[in-house]
Amino acid sequence: MDSNATVLRRRLTDDEIVLAPGVSDALEGVLAERAGAEILYVSGNAVASSVHGGPDLGLTTMTETVDRVRQIAGAVDRPVLADADDGYGNALSVRRTVQEFERAGAAGVHVEDQDAPKQCGHFDDKSLVPIEEMCGKLRAACDARANDAFVVVARTDAVAVEGIDAAIDRSRAYVDAGADAVFVDAPETEAHLERIGDELADVPLVVNVPYGGKTPMLPADRLAELGYDCMLFATTAQKAKIELLADVYEHLVETGDERDLTDRVATWETRDEVTGLDRWRDLEQRYG
C-alpha cells in the first residue's frame, strides 16, 4: 500500500487538480474525510486561531502546529499537507521542523520565504529573506525527510513585496534547490495567476484563493485550465464555524433555550456516528 506521502506526490502530478480543504483539528479532519476530500490541508492561519485565539502573526510555535498535525493525521486515512510557516528559524531549524512534521504523520509541508516575524500571506507589510537563505532552508528540508516521497513545497510571498517577476524568479531558484512544488501566495490578479501557470508550467503548483484575501476567487476548473495542480481552501471551514458558533453562543446567552437551534445543530446520533462510537463500543466489548 502506498504511503500517504506517495499519494500526495502522485496527486500533485496528476492531470486533474486536487482539492484540499483546510482543517484545524481532528474533528474537522474527520468531517472533511467523510465528505470525500482526497487531501487535507493544515493551515497555519487556522491553527493559530484555533490554538491561541489570535491572528496569524508568527505567534504559534512549531510544537503547537506539530501537535495539531499529529492529532489530525491520527484521526484520518488521508494525506495531510501542513503549513510549516517559515520553518521556525534558520536552515537547521527547518531540518528539525521537517523531521517533526514527518514523524507526526504529515505527507508534506510548505515552507515560506518570509522573514521573521512571519504573518499571514494575505496581510500587508511582509518582508522576505534573501533567496540564498531560502534555498538553504529548502536543501535542509529535503535532506531531513526520512521518506523520499515526503513532499517539500516552497512558498513565496514575493508578489506583494518584490512583484510578480521576482516571485517567478524565486520559484525557479527554489525548484533548483530541491522543492517538489511551488506555492506562490497572494497573487493579486487573474493575469498574475495566468502568468504563474504559464511560466511555471513544468512545476507542480499549489494555489490558495481565500474569501476576503488578495487573490481573485476563481473556481477549481478555471485554475486547472491555468495550470494549477492543488487548490487549498485554507480557512473556509473555520470561517464558517466562526459565523455559526457566534450565532449559537449569542442565542444561548440571550435566551437560555437551545430548542430553537435544533435545526442548525447535529443530532446526538450524528455526532456519535461521526466520532465512531459503535466501533469503539465493539472494541470495548472485545477487550472487556
Side-chain angles (χ1 to χ4, degrees), residues 182-200:
V182 167
F183 174 13
V184 179
D185 202 17
E188 298 171 355
T189 65
E190 187 166 346
H192 280 177
L193 288 165
E194 185 172 1
R195 186 171 170 200
I196 293 164
D198 285 343
E199 297 200 28
L200 299 172

Side-chain angles (χ1 to χ4, degrees), residues 139-238:
R139 288 193 293 270
C142 294
D143 285 349
R145 53 193 172 191
N147 180 355
D148 288 341
F150 184 87
V151 175
V152 174
V153 180
R155 176 179 132 180
T156 180
D157 289 68
V159 172
V161 181
E162 299 176 345
I164 185 67
D165 291 343
I168 292 171
D169 289 344
R170 280 177 172 263
S171 297
R172 280 286 172 208
Y174 299 163
V175 172
D176 290 343
D180 301 302
V182 167
F183 174 13
V184 179
D185 202 17
E188 298 171 355
T189 65
E190 187 166 346
H192 280 177
L193 288 165
E194 185 172 1
R195 186 171 170 200
I196 293 164
D198 285 343
E199 297 200 28
L200 299 172
D202 58 328
V203 180
L205 294 176
V206 177
V207 65
N208 181 36
V209 289
Y211 170 58
K214 295 181 179 295
T215 304
M217 291 186 68
L218 301 182
D221 55 358
R222 175 58 179 151
L223 290 167
E225 290 175 357
L226 293 176
Y228 291 87
D229 303 284
C230 178
M231 182 181 184
L232 309 178
F233 298 91
T235 59
T236 307
Q238 187 179 72

